[in-house]
Amino acid sequence: MTQPVYYKTPLGSTVKQVPFARIAESATSRELVKEAETDAYYFRSLEEQGIFLNRPQIEAVRHGKGPLLTLAGAGSGKTSVLVCRTGYLLTLHRVAPEHILLVTFTKKASMEMQERIARLPGISRAIARRVQAGTFHAFFLKIIRHQGYKQEIIGADRYKQIVIKKILREMNLHDSYQPEELLAQLSAHKMNGLRVDELPDRTPEQREMNAVFAKYEAWKRQYEKIDYDDILLLAYDLLRENRSLLESLQRRFQYVMVDEFQDTNFLQYELIKMIVHPHRNLFVVGDDDQTIYTFNGARSEFILEFERTFPGARTVTLDINYRSTSGIVGLGNEVIRRNTNRKVKTLQAVHRSESTPHFFTPATTDEEAETIIGQIQADVAAGTYAYRDIAILHRTASCSRAMFEQLALNNIPFIPYSMGDQMFYEHWIVKPVVDHLRLAVQPRHFDAMESAVNGLFIAKDKAMDYIWEQEKKQKKKYPLIHLEAFPELRSFQKDKVRERIKLIKSLAAVKPVQAVKKLRLDFYDKFLEATDRQAATSHKETIKETLDELEASAKRFESAAEFIAFIDGMIEKHKEIETLQQHSDADAVALMTIHRSKGLEFPVVFLIGASEGILPHSTALEAEKLKDKVPAGPAAATAGKNTASTDAAVEEERRLAYVAITRAKHQLYISSPAYYRGKKTEVSRFLRDAFGGAARQAGTAAAGTAAREVRPVPKPGRMQSPAGAAGGVTTTETVLAWVCTDPNCSAWSKIITYEDAHVDAKVCPLCGDTMAKGSKQVQKQIQPKFY
């Protein structure tokens, strides 16, 4: 495995000072709530149960009537506040439990809160159960059920996808849209309060999708079914139309609390505002810095404009992080403070750092994965951490391809949470290309043949039926050739069939990466762009980056047969891993998107792909380029809306980086590949900005070694001191190295093996220029301490 070099600051930074968070005051309710105060007995009883609240937590818990915004920074104990405030209302204010509504976003969270409420002093399990605690959907489902709505709930996403697939097939659109993406679009429209007959229909594709949506809604009505989105829509209509029902809810729920307020969408917020309208006793807990679900309708402005929506509202900021070390909290602070559209807050920490976050810059994503595998194996072998303690976070699904493969190849137990039922090589964008390669190796692979037929704009079902019929009469080495005689095809289509067969035959003789490029150049990119249907449900950049990732994977293999064999092995591995995913307590590494990780925490976090174009994502950067091209003067005024949306896109990317950083409790590793899908890239601006770095990146992780401290991966069974740990001594040594001869490239690599020292020349992995033998001075830490 690759032996990494870790640094205390990211490549390209100009400030070498590591940002540590301030250590919070140690005072708790024991010192802050005096015995003479009327509610002292409540806090004393909490302390007997081991619950010691800090100053802002106490202020939030004591809040009585009126609107309150609780800004809950990452790891700041928001659940304790919600639970203890509920107990305070029940115990101190003598509020009947039936008058309290506690809304959460997951069933697990609501069950945990009710359990914790039941353990509070003076509150029995029976009283806790009378508090209305549950998700938005569970609460409003009860309401519509009481009003006579008996429709069956469609809970499984797969069931809905099957229905949409059937509709698409009936409309002969089954090769044009992905059911899961259509359902996501429909859900987004609904959560913004739009009905199908109110959706935009400016383009043929929009009208086509609307027709699919209309059929889906008609199918649900026919079979008396509703989905989760319908629950909120029906409740919204009910409360607007049934005044007596709304007033009864307003009278009953005198105190309303909402958890994870930053994830609230338009429809959910409107429903809550209707219930609290007369008394305004709304207590919301959230963090605008963690608003990362705007694609699901979440809006940070609900927090930013809370005081405007509820005049006179108070704000309490929970700014003490109990999760992470001061180095991790400090880095999070420095990253997120660059956002301008936020509530200003700086988190403090209670855990002092024994080590700083570790930064490294591998050459490629494959090297990145190998490096991380080495670190995981070393930590587990040393007994420092178990597999379940470790999470690997990535920006998009396609970014995890190399990591998935290395984990699988090294037999490390892991759960790919963000992959679901489909792995990279089976993705709808990737599979047709893989199928063409498969046909080059196995011309009679009939499942793969369907992709080739579909790519020819031929009705797939009819064409495959014809091929099967002809095969019964006379088998062909390349069964696709039967289509040349298919009577339903015109002459130009038959020419295309001949061209496609010729293309498939040619793929077996070239390297896989060239084969993928040839497929894209000859027809596939044009095929995807020939209709705006896919672009209507998937961003074109997503399609491009997914195929770029396929090229990056193919580059490692010499033949199509070798590549296909590897892909089949990975597909089988994925099937094995699916069984592991069913066990939530499995000792396995978590591989997930940053979005999926929100609300979770891990002792060790690897944030991969912290480079420009990955995080921030290329879609945000492309929008930024367009903004920069707007001329000054009158034209700039007309671009104001676009500029605002561009800034919002980059700020959301920064929030994603912040969420990823703050998932780590003890150790945080951040990797920024220098090359991404064959193109040179910089360390993420979010990291460079955090260390004052406007300077551009040049070279690999080894560049700038003299300025930054080195910490190699510990060997199994041996532990080393963290970078900069007290007691270690730093010295300088000269090492033999291959050094790039390009004066503009700072890449070099240490000569370690005999074979490496006796080759005549090497090619620079970054710029492609020649590398020559030379030497480099590096810092070396001796007398390491255990940590």
Short mmCIF file of all heavy atoms in Angstrom, two decimals, residues 443-446 449 467 471 476-483:
data_model
loop_
_atom_site.label_atom_id
_atom_site.label_comp_id
_atom_site.label_asym_id
_atom_site.label_seq_id
_atom_site.Cartn_x
_atom_site.Cartn_y
_atom_site.Cartn_z
N PRO A 443 -19.91 -11.50 -27.89
CA PRO A 443 -20.87 -10.97 -28.88
C PRO A 443 -22.28 -11.53 -28.72
O PRO A 443 -23.24 -10.91 -29.18
CB PRO A 443 -20.27 -11.38 -30.22
CG PRO A 443 -18.83 -11.66 -29.94
CD PRO A 443 -18.76 -12.14 -28.54
N ARG A 444 -22.41 -12.69 -28.06
CA ARG A 444 -23.72 -13.31 -27.91
C ARG A 444 -24.32 -13.07 -26.51
O ARG A 444 -25.17 -13.83 -26.06
CB ARG A 444 -23.61 -14.81 -28.19
CG ARG A 444 -23.27 -15.13 -29.65
CD ARG A 444 -23.24 -16.62 -29.91
NE ARG A 444 -24.51 -17.27 -29.55
CZ ARG A 444 -25.62 -17.24 -30.29
NH1 ARG A 444 -25.63 -16.58 -31.46
NH2 ARG A 444 -26.71 -17.84 -29.89
N HIS A 445 -23.88 -12.03 -25.86
CA HIS A 445 -24.44 -11.68 -24.55
C HIS A 445 -25.72 -10.88 -24.79
O HIS A 445 -25.69 -9.68 -25.06
CB HIS A 445 -23.42 -10.86 -23.74
CG HIS A 445 -23.73 -10.79 -22.28
ND1 HIS A 445 -24.84 -10.15 -21.79
CD2 HIS A 445 -23.07 -11.31 -21.21
CE1 HIS A 445 -24.85 -10.24 -20.47
NE2 HIS A 445 -23.78 -10.95 -20.09
N PHE A 446 -26.88 -11.55 -24.69
CA PHE A 446 -28.13 -10.94 -25.11
C PHE A 446 -28.62 -9.83 -24.18
O PHE A 446 -29.28 -8.90 -24.63
CB PHE A 446 -29.20 -12.02 -25.28
CG PHE A 446 -28.97 -12.90 -26.48
CD1 PHE A 446 -28.21 -14.06 -26.37
CD2 PHE A 446 -29.46 -12.53 -27.72
CE1 PHE A 446 -27.97 -14.85 -27.48
CE2 PHE A 446 -29.22 -13.31 -28.84
CZ PHE A 446 -28.47 -14.48 -28.72
N MET A 449 -26.87 -6.87 -25.25
CA MET A 449 -27.31 -6.50 -26.60
C MET A 449 -28.45 -5.46 -26.55
O MET A 449 -28.58 -4.63 -27.44
CB MET A 449 -27.78 -7.75 -27.35
CG MET A 449 -27.58 -7.71 -28.85
SD MET A 449 -27.98 -9.31 -29.54
CE MET A 449 -26.71 -10.33 -28.81
N ILE A 467 -34.56 -10.52 -33.15
CA ILE A 467 -33.26 -11.19 -33.06
C ILE A 467 -33.43 -12.62 -32.55
O ILE A 467 -32.84 -13.57 -33.09
CB ILE A 467 -32.30 -10.39 -32.16
CG1 ILE A 467 -31.87 -9.08 -32.85
CG2 ILE A 467 -31.06 -11.22 -31.79
CD1 ILE A 467 -31.08 -8.15 -31.96
N GLU A 471 -32.50 -16.04 -34.47
CA GLU A 471 -31.50 -16.92 -33.87
C GLU A 471 -31.97 -18.38 -33.85
O GLU A 471 -31.16 -19.30 -33.94
CB GLU A 471 -31.18 -16.47 -32.43
CG GLU A 471 -30.14 -15.38 -32.35
CD GLU A 471 -28.75 -15.88 -32.71
OE1 GLU A 471 -28.18 -16.69 -31.96
OE2 GLU A 471 -28.23 -15.47 -33.76
N LYS A 476 -25.88 -16.63 -35.10
CA LYS A 476 -24.79 -15.78 -35.62
C LYS A 476 -23.79 -15.50 -34.49
O LYS A 476 -24.16 -15.40 -33.31
CB LYS A 476 -25.35 -14.45 -36.13
CG LYS A 476 -26.33 -14.58 -37.30
CD LYS A 476 -25.59 -14.80 -38.60
CE LYS A 476 -26.54 -14.71 -39.78
NZ LYS A 476 -25.83 -14.95 -41.07
N LYS A 477 -22.52 -15.34 -34.89
CA LYS A 477 -21.52 -14.95 -33.89
C LYS A 477 -21.87 -13.59 -33.30
O LYS A 477 -21.71 -13.35 -32.11
CB LYS A 477 -20.13 -14.91 -34.52
CG LYS A 477 -19.04 -14.54 -33.53
CD LYS A 477 -17.65 -14.52 -34.17
CE LYS A 477 -16.59 -14.13 -33.15
NZ LYS A 477 -15.24 -14.08 -33.75
N TYR A 478 -22.34 -12.68 -34.16
CA TYR A 478 -22.80 -11.36 -33.73
C TYR A 478 -24.30 -11.28 -34.03
O TYR A 478 -24.70 -10.85 -35.12
CB TYR A 478 -22.05 -10.24 -34.46
CG TYR A 478 -20.62 -10.07 -34.01
CD1 TYR A 478 -19.59 -10.82 -34.60
CD2 TYR A 478 -20.28 -9.18 -33.00
CE1 TYR A 478 -18.28 -10.68 -34.18
CE2 TYR A 478 -18.98 -9.03 -32.57
CZ TYR A 478 -17.98 -9.79 -33.17
OH TYR A 478 -16.68 -9.64 -32.75
N PRO A 479 -25.18 -11.68 -33.09
CA PRO A 479 -26.62 -11.71 -33.36
C PRO A 479 -27.20 -10.36 -33.77
O PRO A 479 -28.26 -10.31 -34.40
CB PRO A 479 -27.20 -12.18 -32.02
CG PRO A 479 -26.10 -12.97 -31.39
CD PRO A 479 -24.84 -12.27 -31.78
N LEU A 480 -26.51 -9.28 -33.42
CA LEU A 480 -27.00 -7.95 -33.83
C LEU A 480 -27.15 -7.85 -35.34
O LEU A 480 -27.95 -7.05 -35.84
CB LEU A 480 -26.03 -6.87 -33.34
CG LEU A 480 -26.30 -6.20 -31.98
CD1 LEU A 480 -25.21 -5.19 -31.69
CD2 LEU A 480 -27.67 -5.54 -31.94
N ILE A 481 -26.41 -8.68 -36.07
CA ILE A 481 -26.41 -8.60 -37.54
C ILE A 481 -27.79 -8.93 -38.12
O ILE A 481 -28.12 -8.52 -39.24
CB ILE A 481 -25.32 -9.54 -38.12
CG1 ILE A 481 -24.88 -9.04 -39.50
CG2 ILE A 481 -25.81 -10.99 -38.18
CD1 ILE A 481 -23.61 -9.72 -40.00
N HIS A 482 -28.62 -9.64 -37.34
CA HIS A 482 -29.97 -9.96 -37.81
C HIS A 482 -30.78 -8.68 -38.09
O HIS A 482 -31.68 -8.68 -38.93
CB HIS A 482 -30.71 -10.79 -36.76
CG HIS A 482 -30.20 -12.19 -36.63
ND1 HIS A 482 -30.12 -13.07 -37.68
CD2 HIS A 482 -29.72 -12.88 -35.53
CE1 HIS A 482 -29.63 -14.23 -37.27
NE2 HIS A 482 -29.37 -14.14 -35.96
N LEU A 483 -30.46 -7.60 -37.37
CA LEU A 483 -31.23 -6.36 -37.53
C LEU A 483 -31.05 -5.76 -38.92
O LEU A 483 -31.87 -4.92 -39.33
CB LEU A 483 -30.83 -5.34 -36.46
CG LEU A 483 -31.23 -5.66 -35.02
CD1 LEU A 483 -30.79 -4.55 -34.09
CD2 LEU A 483 -32.74 -5.87 -34.91
#
